[in-house]
Amino acid sequence: MGIVINLFLIVSASVVFFAAGFFIGRFFLESIGTTKVLEAEERAVQIVQEAQKEANEYKELKVSEVNQEWKKKRREFDQEVVIKNNKYNQLQKQMQQKEAQLKKQLQDVRDMERKLQDQRKEIDQTTESVNLRSTDLDRIILEQNQRLESISNLQSEEARQMLIDNMVSKAREEATETIHQIHAEAEQNAGRLAEKTLLTAIQRISFEQATENALSVVHIQSDELKGRIIGREGRNIKAFENATGVDIIVDDTPEVVILSCFDPLRRELAKLTLQKLLVDGIIHPVAIEKAYADAKKEIDDVIMSAGEEALSSLQIPDMPAEIVSLIGHMKFYTVYGQNLLLHSREVAMLAGLMAAELKLDARQAKRAGLLHDIGLVLPESDQPHAISGMTFLKKFNESATVLNAVGAHHGDVDKETPIAELVDAANVISLARPGARGAVTADGNVKRLESLEEIAKGFPGVLKTYALQAGREIRVIVEGDNVSDSQADVLAHDIAHKIESEAQYPGQIKVSIVREKRSIAYAK
C-alpha cells in the first residue's frame, strides 16, 4: 500500500512537474514568438517603405523619360511644320508667278488677235484690189492678143506651140550640155580614183607567168642517163609512155629531157615518175611501173601542198580540205595559155589590194578572187563554170558575198556587192594584160572587130565606123549637118550602152564621135 502511495505521489509529482514545464515552455515560446512577430512586422513595414520609395523613383524616372520623348517628338513635329510651311510658301509663290505669266500670255494673245484682225482686214482690201487689177489685166491681155493675132496672122495656139517647141529644143540642148559636163567631171574623178587604185594594186604584185601548155622539162645530171632512159631498142621509152600516157622526147638538148602531153596532171605524174627513176638510177619496165605507182600516191600530197601554199601566200585561213585540193588541181590547168592557179592568185591579190584601197573587206575579196574559177576544175557540167563554182561552194556555207562574186564574174548573175565588181575587174586585168594569155585566132579577132563596127553603124547619122587598137576604140564618123555637138555626146553614150549590152570583150572600149563639117567654095 505504501508502495502504491509512493508511486502515486511520484507519478503525481511528475505530472505536476511536467505541467509546470509545459506552461513555462509555452510562456517562453509565446514571448519569443511575439518578439519575432514584432520584428517581422517592422521588417515588413521597412520593405513596404523601401518598395514604395523605389516605385516612386521609377515613376519619376519614367515620367521624365516620357516628358523628354514628348519634347523630342514636339521638336520634330515643329520642324516638319516649318519645312512644309516653307514648301507651301514656295509653291504659293510659284503659283503666283505662273498666274502672272498666264495673264501676260493671255494679254499677248489678245493683242495678237487684234493684230491678226487688222491684218485680215488689210489682206481683204488688198485681195479686192488685186482682183480688180487682175480683171483689168485680163482685159488688156485679151485686147493685146487680139491685136497680135491680127498683126501676125497667127492664132494664139499656133504661137504657143511655136514657143513650146523652141523652149523644148533649147532645154534639150542645155540638158545635153549639162549631161556632158557632169559626165566629164564624173569620168575625170572616177578615172583618177580608178587609176590610183589599179596602179597601187598592180605595182604591189609581181607574178611569173607560166608558159607551160603541153611541155614539161626534166633536168638530168648528165647526158649518159639519156641512154638508160631510152633503153635497149627504145623499150624503156615505150614502157614509160604506156604506163604514164605521156610522150617522152630525148633530143640533143644537153642535160634535158622533155615530156609532152596536153593533160597537165598526167604530165606531172610522168615528171615525178622520171625523177624517181633518175634518183634510183635503175631504169627498166618493172622499175618504171613501180615508180609510176609511187608517183600516183605522192601526187595527192603535191596537190594539197600547192593548195595550202596558195592559201598561205594569200593569208586565207579556214578552207575545207576538198576546196584546198581543188585549188591545188588548178596548178595543172591552163586557160588560153595562162596557168589557172597563178591566174587565180593574181586575181585574188588584185581584188584584195583594190578592196583595201577602197576600205572594203580585203579578206573576202581575196577569197572570192582565188575561188572565182574553181568551176573549171570541177567535173564537166551543162552549166557555165561560174554557176557550177557558185553551186559547189554553197555546200561549204561560203558567205553570200563570195558566192555572188564567183557567180557574177562573167555576168551569169547580177553583181550585188562591190566585192563582185572588184573580182570582175581583177579578172579582166589579169586576162587582158599583154602576155597573160595566148593569142586569139585571126578569124575570131576580125569577126569581133566587124561586130563592133556593125553595132555603131546601126545608129542614124553615122557615116563610117572604124575599130582601132585591136578593138579598144571605136571611131564613128557622123554627118555634120544632121548631128549637132550636143547630139554627138548623146550618140556616144548610146553606142557605148549598146556595145555593153550586146558585145563580149575584155577591159573597156572607147567610143569616139568625129563630127566634121566641110564648107566648099570655088573661086572663078
Side-chain angles (χ1 to χ4, degrees):
M1 187 69 175
I3 295 169
V4 173
I5 294 173
N6 287 332
L7 290 171
F8 177 76
L9 289 174
I10 291 170
V11 171
S12 300
S14 299
V15 170
V16 172
F17 179 78
F18 177 75
F22 175 75
F23 285 110
I24 293 170
R26 182 179 179 183
F27 176 78
F28 181 75
L29 289 174
E30 288 178 356
S31 63
I32 292 174
T34 302
T35 303
K36 292 293 184 181
V37 169
L38 293 174
E39 292 177 354
E41 290 177 352
E42 292 177 358
R43 181 61 180 166
V45 173
Q46 185 179 1
I47 289 171
V48 170
Q49 291 176 351
E50 291 177 353
Q52 189 171 5
K53 182 180 179 181
E54 290 179 356
N56 292 331
E57 292 177 352
Y58 182 75
K59 179 179 178 182
E60 292 176 355
L61 178 62
K62 290 298 181 182
V63 170
S64 176
E65 290 178 355
V66 169
N67 289 333
Q68 291 178 357
E69 184 69 21
W70 180 81
K71 290 178 181 179
K72 180 180 178 183
K73 295 293 185 181
R74 180 61 183 270
R75 284 195 300 273
E76 293 176 353
F77 176 75
D78 292 339
Q79 290 176 356
E80 290 180 359
V81 170
V82 171
I83 292 171
K84 290 183 178 180
N85 288 334
N86 293 334
K87 289 183 178 179
Y88 173 76
N89 293 331
Q90 291 177 357
L91 291 174
Q92 189 174 10
K93 188 180 295 184
Q94 291 176 359
M95 291 295 294
Q96 292 174 354
Q97 293 176 355
K98 290 287 186 182
E99 187 176 358
Q101 291 177 359
L102 289 174
K103 289 181 179 179
K104 186 176 181 301
Q105 291 176 358
L106 180 61
Q107 185 63 35
D108 293 340
V109 170
R110 289 175 179 173
D111 295 340
M112 184 63 70
E113 286 180 353
R114 285 196 295 271
K115 290 181 181 179
L116 289 174
Q117 289 176 358
D118 295 340
Q119 291 177 358
R120 188 177 291 108
K121 291 179 181 179
E122 294 178 358
I123 291 171
D124 292 338
Q125 294 174 0
T126 305
T127 303
E128 185 177 357
S129 63
V130 167
N131 290 332
L132 294 175
R133 181 63 177 168
S134 176
T135 303
D136 294 338
L137 289 175
D138 290 340
R139 180 177 55 79
I140 294 170
I141 290 171
L142 180 61
E143 294 176 356
Q144 294 294 329
N145 287 336
Q146 290 176 353
R147 291 180 62 187
L148 288 173
E149 288 178 1
S150 63
I151 293 171
S152 62
N153 293 325
L154 288 175
Q155 296 296 323
S156 60
E157 291 297 331
E158 296 176 356
R160 184 182 294 109
Q161 188 62 38
M162 290 177 63
L163 180 61
I164 291 173
D165 293 340
N166 292 333
M167 292 179 66
V168 168
S169 177
K170 185 177 180 181
R172 185 174 296 162
E173 291 180 358
E174 291 178 353
T176 303
E177 292 178 358
T178 303
I179 291 172
H180 178 66
Q181 292 176 359
I182 294 172
H183 183 71
E185 292 176 0
E187 277 189 344
Q188 186 176 8
N189 295 333
R192 289 200 195 101
L193 178 59
E195 182 179 358
K196 177 184 175 183
T197 302
L198 293 178
L199 288 177
T200 302
I202 293 172
Q203 289 172 0
R204 289 173 60 185
I205 67 170
S206 176
F207 279 104
E208 179 183 357
Q209 294 299 319
T211 58
E212 49 183 32
N213 295 328
L215 299 177
S216 292
V217 178
V218 180
H219 295 277
I220 58 178
Q221 296 176 354
S222 65
D223 290 338
E224 296 179 357
L225 292 174
K226 291 183 179 180
R228 298 184 185 180
I229 294 172
I230 296 173
R232 183 179 299 177
E233 297 179 356
R235 66 171 187 172
N236 290 343
I237 287 181
K238 292 179 181 178
F240 187 89
E241 292 177 349
N242 290 333
T244 62
V246 176
D247 295 331
I248 183 169
I249 302 172
V250 181
D251 55 13
D252 296 334
T253 306
E255 298 181 356
V256 166
V257 174
I258 298 175
L259 302 176
S260 175
C261 180
F262 285 103
D263 188 335
L265 189 58
R266 281 161 51 191
R267 195 168 65 248
E268 184 66 19
L269 274 171
K271 184 176 179 180
L272 288 175
T273 302
L274 184 57
Q275 288 174 346
K276 287 181 174 295
L277 292 172
L278 293 174
V279 170
D280 294 338
I282 301 173
I283 304 176
H284 53 76
V286 177
I288 291 171
E289 292 179 359
K290 182 177 181 302
Y292 180 69
D294 294 338
K296 289 178 67 175
K297 295 178 181 178
E298 293 182 8
I299 193 66
D300 292 336
D301 295 335
V302 173
I303 291 172
M304 291 298 294
S305 177
E308 291 171 354
E309 181 183 355
L311 294 174
S312 176
S313 64
L314 295 171
Q315 297 180 351
I316 300 176
D318 304 330
M319 193 75 77
E322 188 173 351
I323 297 180
V324 176
S325 176
L326 291 175
I327 294 172
H329 274 82
M330 291 182 183
K331 179 180 179 180
F332 308 108
Y333 283 80
T334 58
V335 181
Y336 299 108
Q338 190 176 19
N339 182 272
L340 184 59
L341 180 57
L342 293 181
H343 164 67
S344 298
R345 287 178 58 192
E346 187 174 82
V347 171
M349 287 295 295
L350 286 169
L353 292 172
M354 288 190 290
E357 290 291 329
L358 298 175
K359 309 301 181 186
L360 299 175
D361 191 342
R363 183 172 295 181
Q364 288 272 35
K366 289 194 292 185
R367 194 179 186 96
L370 181 63
L371 299 175
H372 79 285
D373 271 343
I374 197 169
L376 292 174
V377 296
L378 292 173
E380 292 185 2
S381 172
D382 295 335
Q383 295 178 328
H385 74 273
I387 301 300
S388 298
M390 182 179 69
T391 305
F392 172 76
L393 293 174
K394 284 181 181 178
K395 302 176 183 178
F396 300 92
N397 297 322
E398 279 291 339
S399 66
T401 301
V402 173
L403 293 175
N404 179 250
V406 172
H409 77 278
H410 281 312
D412 296 306
V413 297
D414 294 333
K415 299 181 182 69
E416 299 174 355
T417 64
I419 298 296
E421 298 286 355
L422 292 182
V423 171
D424 190 10
N427 184 47
V428 172
I429 293 169
S430 177
L431 64 89
R433 62 177 178 75
R437 296 198 173 192
V440 183
T441 61
D443 292 339
N445 190 41
V446 170
K447 289 181 180 179
R448 185 173 68 87
L449 299 182
E450 290 177 351
S451 66
L452 293 176
E453 292 178 352
E454 290 298 326
I455 291 174
K457 285 181 181 178
F459 287 85
V462 175
L463 293 176
K464 297 178 182 179
T465 59
Y466 301 99
L468 307 176
Q469 298 182 10
R472 300 295 182 184
E473 180 181 355
I474 299 297
R475 188 164 299 174
V476 182
I477 311 297
V478 298
E479 299 175 358
D481 295 332
N482 297 328
V483 180
S484 64
D485 290 339
S486 59
Q487 291 173 343
D489 295 333
V490 176
L491 181 61
H493 289 288
D494 293 342
I495 293 175
H497 181 70
K498 189 170 183 180
I499 291 174
E500 289 176 357
S501 60
E502 296 183 4
Q504 294 184 356
Y505 53 91
Q508 64 180 8
I509 297 176
K510 178 182 179 182
V511 179
S512 300
I513 303 295
V514 179
R515 178 176 174 269
E516 183 181 21
K517 181 177 181 181
R518 296 184 181 183
S519 299
I520 302 174
Y522 297 94
K524 297 181 181 179

